[in-house]
Amino acid sequence: MRRDLQADVPEMVWPEGVEISTYRPELALAVHHLMQLGHREGGGRVPDLDTWQRRFESDPEYDPALCFIARDAEGVVGVVQCWTSSYIKNLVVHPRAQGRGLGRALLLNAFKTFQQRREGFVDLKVLEDNVRAQRLYESAGMYFVRRELVPA
Protein backbone atom coordinates (compact mmCIF):
# COMPACT_ATOMS: atom_id res chain seq x y z
CA MET A 1 0.00 0.00 0.00
CA ARG A 2 1.12 3.56 -0.54
CA ARG A 3 0.51 7.03 0.92
CA ASP A 4 1.15 10.18 -1.08
CA LEU A 5 3.04 12.47 1.28
CA GLN A 6 2.23 15.59 -0.74
CA ALA A 7 -1.26 15.40 0.78
CA ASP A 8 -1.89 16.77 4.26
CA VAL A 9 -1.41 14.34 7.13
CA PRO A 10 -3.92 14.70 9.97
CA GLU A 11 -2.63 15.51 13.44
CA MET A 12 -1.86 12.56 15.67
CA VAL A 13 -4.05 11.94 18.69
CA TRP A 14 -2.11 9.86 21.18
CA PRO A 15 -4.06 7.75 23.67
CA GLU A 16 -3.94 9.04 27.22
CA GLY A 17 -0.97 7.76 29.21
CA VAL A 18 1.11 6.79 26.16
CA GLU A 19 4.60 8.19 25.66
CA ILE A 20 6.53 8.00 22.39
CA SER A 21 10.26 7.54 21.99
CA THR A 22 12.62 6.11 19.42
CA TYR A 23 14.29 2.72 19.59
CA ARG A 24 17.16 2.16 22.00
CA PRO A 25 18.96 -1.17 22.54
CA GLU A 26 17.70 -1.38 26.12
CA LEU A 27 14.16 -1.63 24.70
CA ALA A 28 15.08 -4.57 22.45
CA LEU A 29 13.62 -7.32 24.67
CA ALA A 30 10.25 -5.58 25.05
CA VAL A 31 10.07 -4.60 21.37
CA HIS A 32 11.03 -8.13 20.30
CA HIS A 33 8.32 -9.60 22.53
CA LEU A 34 5.71 -7.28 21.01
CA MET A 35 6.90 -8.11 17.48
CA GLN A 36 6.53 -11.83 18.24
CA LEU A 37 3.04 -11.27 19.60
CA GLY A 38 2.03 -9.19 16.60
CA HIS A 39 3.35 -11.65 14.06
CA ARG A 40 1.56 -14.54 15.76
CA GLU A 41 -1.71 -12.66 15.30
CA GLY A 42 -0.96 -11.20 11.86
CA GLY A 43 1.17 -13.87 10.22
CA GLY A 44 4.87 -14.50 9.84
CA ARG A 45 7.45 -15.10 12.50
CA VAL A 46 10.21 -13.29 14.33
CA PRO A 47 13.58 -15.00 14.98
CA ASP A 48 15.07 -15.38 18.46
CA LEU A 49 16.05 -12.18 20.29
CA ASP A 50 19.79 -12.22 19.48
CA THR A 51 19.24 -12.93 15.78
CA TRP A 52 16.42 -10.39 15.52
CA GLN A 53 18.39 -7.64 17.29
CA ARG A 54 21.53 -8.26 15.24
CA ARG A 55 19.54 -8.15 11.97
CA PHE A 56 17.45 -5.20 13.12
CA GLU A 57 20.37 -3.04 14.21
CA SER A 58 22.69 -3.94 11.32
CA ASP A 59 20.20 -3.59 8.45
CA PRO A 60 21.57 -1.00 5.97
CA GLU A 61 18.21 0.78 6.03
CA TYR A 62 18.03 0.84 9.84
CA ASP A 63 17.86 4.20 11.56
CA PRO A 64 16.81 4.24 15.23
CA ALA A 65 15.19 7.64 14.61
CA LEU A 66 12.72 5.84 12.32
CA CYS A 67 11.62 3.25 14.87
CA PHE A 68 8.95 4.71 17.12
CA ILE A 69 8.10 3.02 20.41
CA ALA A 70 4.89 3.64 22.35
CA ARG A 71 4.96 2.91 26.08
CA ASP A 72 2.45 3.17 28.87
CA ALA A 73 2.73 2.49 32.60
CA GLU A 74 2.92 -1.26 31.94
CA GLY A 75 5.55 -1.20 29.19
CA VAL A 76 5.86 -1.23 25.40
CA VAL A 77 2.43 -1.22 23.74
CA GLY A 78 3.25 -0.21 20.17
CA VAL A 79 6.03 -0.03 17.63
CA VAL A 80 6.33 1.19 14.08
CA GLN A 81 9.62 0.23 12.44
CA CYS A 82 10.46 2.20 9.31
CA TRP A 83 13.32 1.99 6.85
CA THR A 84 15.24 4.88 5.35
CA SER A 85 13.72 4.07 1.92
CA SER A 86 10.39 5.51 3.11
CA TYR A 87 9.01 2.08 3.89
CA ILE A 88 7.09 0.88 6.94
CA LYS A 89 8.49 -2.52 7.81
CA ASN A 90 6.37 -3.32 10.88
CA LEU A 91 3.48 -1.80 12.80
CA VAL A 92 2.38 -3.67 15.92
CA VAL A 93 0.04 -2.68 18.74
CA HIS A 94 -0.32 -4.80 21.87
CA PRO A 95 -3.82 -6.36 22.19
CA ARG A 96 -4.43 -4.49 25.48
CA ALA A 97 -3.88 -1.17 23.68
CA GLN A 98 -5.84 -1.89 20.51
CA GLY A 99 -8.96 0.06 19.67
CA ARG A 100 -7.67 3.28 21.26
CA GLY A 101 -6.17 4.91 18.15
CA LEU A 102 -2.56 4.01 18.89
CA GLY A 103 -1.95 2.23 15.57
CA ARG A 104 -3.32 5.20 13.66
CA ALA A 105 -1.22 7.66 15.70
CA LEU A 106 1.95 5.62 15.09
CA LEU A 107 1.16 5.44 11.38
CA LEU A 108 0.51 9.18 11.10
CA ASN A 109 3.70 9.88 13.06
CA ALA A 110 5.65 7.85 10.49
CA PHE A 111 3.97 9.78 7.65
CA LYS A 112 4.87 13.14 9.25
CA THR A 113 8.46 12.02 9.77
CA PHE A 114 8.84 11.02 6.12
CA GLN A 115 7.22 14.29 5.03
CA GLN A 116 9.84 16.16 7.07
CA ARG A 117 12.50 14.13 5.25
CA ARG A 118 10.95 15.36 1.98
CA GLU A 119 9.86 11.94 0.78
CA GLY A 120 7.13 11.79 -1.86
CA PHE A 121 5.53 8.51 -0.83
CA VAL A 122 5.62 5.93 1.94
CA ASP A 123 4.92 2.26 1.25
CA LEU A 124 4.18 -0.90 3.19
CA LYS A 125 3.10 -4.46 2.52
CA VAL A 126 0.02 -6.01 4.08
CA LEU A 127 -1.27 -9.56 3.83
CA GLU A 128 -4.40 -9.94 1.71
CA ASP A 129 -6.32 -11.53 4.57
CA ASN A 130 -5.35 -8.87 7.15
CA VAL A 131 -8.51 -6.84 6.60
CA ARG A 132 -8.27 -5.04 9.94
CA ALA A 133 -4.85 -3.62 9.04
CA GLN A 134 -6.02 -2.73 5.53
CA ARG A 135 -8.90 -0.71 6.98
CA LEU A 136 -6.52 1.17 9.27
CA TYR A 137 -4.16 1.99 6.40
CA GLU A 138 -6.99 3.09 4.10
CA SER A 139 -8.45 5.31 6.84
CA ALA A 140 -5.06 7.03 7.03
CA GLY A 141 -5.05 7.77 3.30
CA MET A 142 -3.17 4.75 1.96
CA TYR A 143 -4.23 3.01 -1.22
CA PHE A 144 -3.41 -0.26 -2.91
CA VAL A 145 -0.62 -0.38 -5.46
CA ARG A 146 -0.89 -3.40 -7.70
CA ARG A 147 2.31 -4.97 -8.90
CA GLU A 148 2.32 -6.17 -12.44
CA LEU A 149 4.10 -9.45 -12.87
CA VAL A 150 6.13 -9.93 -15.99
CA PRO A 151 5.68 -13.43 -17.45
CA ALA A 152 8.86 -15.50 -17.51
Side-chain angles (χ1 to χ4, degrees):
M1 295 187 78
R2 173 169 283 177
R3 173 64 150 80
D4 180 352
L5 296 175
Q6 303 306 311
D8 288 337
V9 174
E11 289 301 315
M12 288 138 304
V13 178
W14 297 103
E16 189 173 330
V18 171
E19 295 180 6
I20 302 304
S21 67
T22 53
Y23 176 81
R24 300 182 311 276
E26 59 267 24
L27 296 172
L29 180 62
V31 170
H32 178 260
H33 177 72
L34 183 58
M35 292 278 198
Q36 286 181 314
L37 183 62
H39 281 277
R40 269 196 304 267
E41 292 184 2
R45 68 175 196 83
V46 178
D48 67 90
L49 175 62
D50 290 335
T51 303
W52 172 83
Q53 188 172 10
R54 187 174 52 255
R55 288 179 187 167
F56 180 74
E57 294 177 5
S58 66
D59 189 298
E61 290 200 76
Y62 166 74
D63 178 350
L66 292 174
C67 183
F68 303 101
I69 312 297
R71 293 183 293 163
D72 66 8
E74 296 179 48
V76 173
V77 291
V79 61
V80 61
Q81 174 193 1
C82 304
W83 284 343
T84 57
S85 60
S86 191
Y87 182 79
I88 297 173
K89 171 70 172 136
N90 288 295
L91 173 62
V92 182
V93 175
H94 195 285
R96 70 178 165 81
Q98 291 177 358
R100 296 176 40 208
L102 180 56
R104 181 177 174 82
L106 285 165
L107 191 60
L108 295 175
N109 190 62
F111 294 168
K112 287 276 190 188
T113 300
F114 283 124
Q115 270 187 331
Q116 291 166 355
R117 289 177 172 232
R118 302 202 185 284
E119 295 289 347
F121 297 92
V122 63
D123 295 318
L124 59 75
K125 290 182 186 175
V126 61
L127 296 174
E128 288 181 18
D129 63 349
N130 194 343
V131 177
R132 184 175 183 189
Q134 291 173 18
R135 285 188 191 131
L136 168 65
Y137 303 147
E138 287 177 319
S139 77
M142 297 193 87
Y143 55 90
F144 286 94
V145 177
R146 301 276 182 218
R147 289 188 320 152
E148 296 206 20
L149 301 178
V150 178

